[in-house]
Amino acid sequence: MNLDKNPLLSKIKNAEQPKTGWNKTEQFLHENATWKRVLSYFIQENNFLKNKLSVVVDRETDKLFIAHAEQFQNEFILKDECMLDIGNDIKRQENDLQQASEQIAAPDHKTCKMQKKLRNEMSNLEKECSNLKIQFNKYLLSIE
């Protein structure tokens, strides 16, 4: 997504707003756009890992392996649900930011608080997805 072509960002850049609100709203929108790209990547990566697990499960018959595979599958499903929830929160946040920009107002306390919450959730999600991928790959290497 080209941020220069984003109509909401263009509107904010062209509006006469207090410098503080303008900068904060623009920064929040930038963060949201970044998070959407990161979520898209994590969703693709999670799908890749689930497909890889499926291929390996088709070859293996060991009951212990199948039990571990189920644990990984459950973790992948939980990550999918988490990413969906965060994605929905990001969409709601964008709507709030759009309303603030239309009113030529700085984001309110609730919006700022939600942005901080999303920032923390995305940071945690990045760590969790990275750790899960590392654990899964190490496990696959240990059985092959």
Side-chain angles (χ1 to χ4, degrees):
M1 170 185 232
N2 184 346
L3 295 179
D4 293 332
K5 294 183 181 178
N6 184 322
L8 187 54
L9 281 178
S10 297
K11 182 178 180 181
I12 291 168
K13 287 179 182 177
N14 295 330
E16 291 185 25
Q17 298 183 32
K19 209 57 161 161
T20 310
W22 176 75
N23 288 335
K24 192 177 278 190
T25 301
E26 186 176 327
Q27 177 60 30
F28 285 180
L29 287 168
H30 174 73
E31 284 181 313
N32 280 277
T34 300
W35 294 334
K36 285 170 37 176
R37 288 190 306 272
V38 170
L39 275 178
S40 177
Y41 167 76
F42 285 148
I43 289 167
Q44 289 175 357
E45 189 68 15
N46 210 36
N47 286 334
F48 173 78
L49 294 173
K50 288 187 289 188
N51 288 336
K52 188 170 184 172
L53 179 62
S54 176
V55 168
V56 177
V57 166
D58 287 344
R59 296 187 306 198
E60 293 290 329
T61 57
D62 179 64
K63 289 183 182 188
L64 183 59
F65 171 80
I66 299 299
H68 280 96
E70 287 177 355
Q71 289 175 340
F72 279 112
Q73 180 69 12
N74 289 337
E75 285 295 320
F76 296 144
I77 290 169
L78 288 172
K79 288 295 169 258
D80 282 338
E81 292 171 2
C82 181
M83 289 184 271
L84 181 63
D85 288 343
I86 292 172
N88 288 334
D89 287 344
I90 290 170
K91 287 177 188 173
R92 280 192 292 276
Q93 179 74 342
E94 283 182 327
N95 289 338
D96 290 345
L97 289 168
Q98 186 171 7
Q99 287 177 349
S101 72
E102 288 170 358
Q103 297 170 0
I104 309 176
D108 62 13
H109 178 72
K110 177 184 159 204
T111 303
C112 292
K113 189 175 178 181
M114 180 56 139
Q115 193 75 12
K116 184 178 180 180
K117 177 181 178 266
L118 285 169
R119 198 176 293 123
N120 290 333
E121 287 178 353
M122 285 300 297
S123 177
N124 290 335
L125 181 66
E126 288 181 53
K127 291 172 192 168
E128 291 169 5
C129 286
S130 178
N131 288 336
L132 180 58
K133 181 170 69 170
I134 289 168
Q135 289 173 3
F136 178 66
N137 286 327
K138 281 182 179 179
Y139 180 69
L140 290 182
L141 287 172
S142 74
I143 58 159
E144 294 182 334

